[in-house]
Amino acid sequence: KEMHNFLKELPKCEHHVHLEGTLEPDLLFPLAKRNKIELPADFPKTPEELHIRYDNFENLDDFLHFYYIGMGVLITEQDFFDLAWSYFVKAKNDGVWHAETFFDPQGHTERGIKMETVVNGFNRAAEKAQAELGISTKLIMCLLKHLPVPNGMETLKAATGFYKQGLIHGLGLDSSELPFPPKLFTECYSYAAENFGEDVGLTAHAGEEGGPEYITQTLDLLKATRIDHGVNSYKDDAVMERLARENVMLTLCPLSNVKLQVVEDVAELPVMKWLEVGVPFSINSDDPAYFGGYILDNYVVMHTRFGFDLNTWGKIAKFGVDGSWISSERKKKIH
Ligand code: HPA
Ligand code: ZN
């Protein structure tokens, strides 16, 4: 109980949460009804049934199937606003000071939704979160690895205006990992680096189901400065040492890793090895509506498995602040 309060009060920065992954079953069904979206015939019929299905994901792709059906109920700018706002309220309650949130524009433009509908809805929620909750926020667009690279390039070009207006701050890469190595997207990342301004943040999902070579490609070819998940880094000592030396933060999502069967239990994550070698990491929620827990739940499960002392928790909190894409003044405020 005391520890729970301590973890709640600990200033947290979230770097790995997909806004579409915060769509709770309790919101999914009413939105489907309101927007007259017909769910697949074999889709669970109630939030209770859907929660049960969510407890039994076989792997990343099995989850993604539900994730894409779920986001299909989001149609209007208000839907995107409501989704993000309810996330920010939960984040505030969990003790989040700064949130860098992912979204998947192609998951919406493929369904005929305009990118500006998505970006404007999310940004209105982010502005309200800054004004009313005091949370600083950044929006990171992700490209879907299972779609063709030219589609990704087109999406990037369409997003250029939003970067220039400061409405989008970074580029990520998500969706199916195997068999889509990061190197496929080299052209997309160099386009972003050249066209979106010098402080654009570059990150990518790598080493969740893919091996450590996916992490190496992400650093060498995409020039990313962080790695989302990066669990499989432990399989290559040279990769571990490089992450430590180059101060590349892993954005870990412990509950996600269990639900998607990356590990059987959080205790299997090579956390002590990362600490020993000096690989910085943050603790995040990924797709909290699908994986059964928000950021504080992820902190709590890490504590129950690893029993960090206060000193180590201080160090982890500092990794998160230092690895955030924020000004040094904001960092000082959070520290
Ligand atoms: N991995 C890959 N793609 C995703 C994830 C993830 O954890 N969450 C949402 N899209
Ligand atoms: Zn993710």
Side-chain angles (χ1 to χ4, degrees), residues 263-294:
V263 291
E264 226 172 89
D265 190 278
V266 170
E268 286 169 31
L269 289 170
V271 170
M272 302 321 278
K273 200 167 168 195
W274 285 319
L275 283 170
E276 211 174 285
V277 179
V279 177
F281 60 84
S282 64
I283 300 169
N284 308 273
S285 64
D286 208 4
D287 302 282
Y290 291 82
F291 302 147
Y294 284 77

Side-chain angles (χ1 to χ4, degrees), residues 45-331:
K45 297 289 180 276
T46 64
E48 293 70 32
E49 283 177 42
L50 191 52
H51 276 296
I52 292 168
R53 183 60 182 83
Y54 286 0
D55 270 335
N56 292 284
F57 292 129
E58 282 171 28
N59 52 35
L60 174 59
D61 282 339
D62 184 31
F63 150 71
L64 288 170
H65 172 74
F66 282 87
Y67 175 74
Y68 293 119
I69 293 172
M71 71 171 74
V73 306
L74 302 165
I75 306 291
T76 66
E77 186 181 313
Q78 189 67 31
D79 296 341
F80 292 98
F81 171 87
D82 290 343
L83 182 70
W85 176 247
S86 66
Y87 161 71
F88 288 127
V89 170
K90 291 188 180 98
K92 176 71 183 181
N93 274 323
D94 273 359
V96 169
W97 284 57
H98 175 69
E100 299 181 3
T101 58
F102 292 134
F103 74 112
D104 291 320
Q106 290 157 299
H108 311 297
T109 52
E110 291 272 295
R111 307 181 285 114
I113 311 291
K114 290 206 177 85
M115 205 187 308
E116 64 182 59
T117 303
V118 184
V119 174
N120 291 345
F122 285 157
N123 263 296
R124 263 207 298 126
E127 277 170 20
K128 188 172 157 89
Q130 297 186 23
E132 295 181 18
L133 307 174
I135 300 181
S136 50
T137 68
K138 301 270 179 210
L139 202 53
I140 303 170
M141 70 176 268
C142 289
L143 296 178
L144 301 179
K145 281 182 268 191
H146 69 274
L147 293 181
V149 174
N151 191 317
M153 280 305 295
E154 227 174 86
T155 305
L156 273 178
K157 285 177 185 162
T160 305
F162 298 116
Y163 275 92
K164 303 234 147 119
Q165 289 170 263
L167 298 178
I168 300 179
H169 302 89
L171 176 64
L173 199 55
D174 64 1
S175 196
S176 299
E177 184 159 18
L178 304 167
F180 305 106
K183 67 176 177 198
L184 294 173
F185 292 87
T186 303
E187 182 193 356
C188 296
Y189 275 70
S190 53
Y191 181 89
E194 279 162 29
N195 294 281
F196 293 166
E198 51 196 56
D199 61 348
V200 63
L202 301 179
T203 187
H205 284 53
E208 181 183 16
E209 290 186 343
E213 69 280 9
Y214 279 28
I215 296 172
T216 303
Q217 285 178 19
T218 300
L219 299 175
D220 285 344
L221 302 174
L222 309 189
K223 315 278 183 204
T225 60
R226 338 203 258 237
I227 300 288
D228 300 311
H229 291 299
V231 172
N232 286 333
S233 58
Y234 77 92
K235 293 178 176 167
D236 185 333
D237 287 340
V239 169
M240 294 280 276
E241 278 151 29
R242 179 175 182 189
L243 293 170
R245 191 174 60 243
E246 298 180 7
N247 197 27
V248 175
M249 182 173 71
L250 305 180
T251 66
L252 304 181
C253 307
L255 288 173
S256 163
N257 294 156
V258 173
K259 288 293 169 99
L260 300 187
Q261 308 207 33
V262 171
V263 291
E264 226 172 89
D265 190 278
V266 170
E268 286 169 31
L269 289 170
V271 170
M272 302 321 278
K273 200 167 168 195
W274 285 319
L275 283 170
E276 211 174 285
V277 179
V279 177
F281 60 84
S282 64
I283 300 169
N284 308 273
S285 64
D286 208 4
D287 302 282
Y290 291 82
F291 302 147
Y294 284 77
I295 188 169
L296 182 55
D297 302 304
N298 279 277
Y299 272 66
V300 168
V301 74
M302 289 289 273
H303 190 74
T304 60
R305 296 306 189 276
F306 298 104
F308 300 133
D309 56 21
L310 296 189
N311 194 27
T312 307
W313 272 120
K315 190 165 152 177
I316 294 169
K318 191 170 176 336
F319 284 152
V321 178
D322 290 341
S324 294
W325 292 330
I326 46 178
S327 68
S328 47
E329 295 91 71
R330 179 73 183 149
K331 286 184 185 181

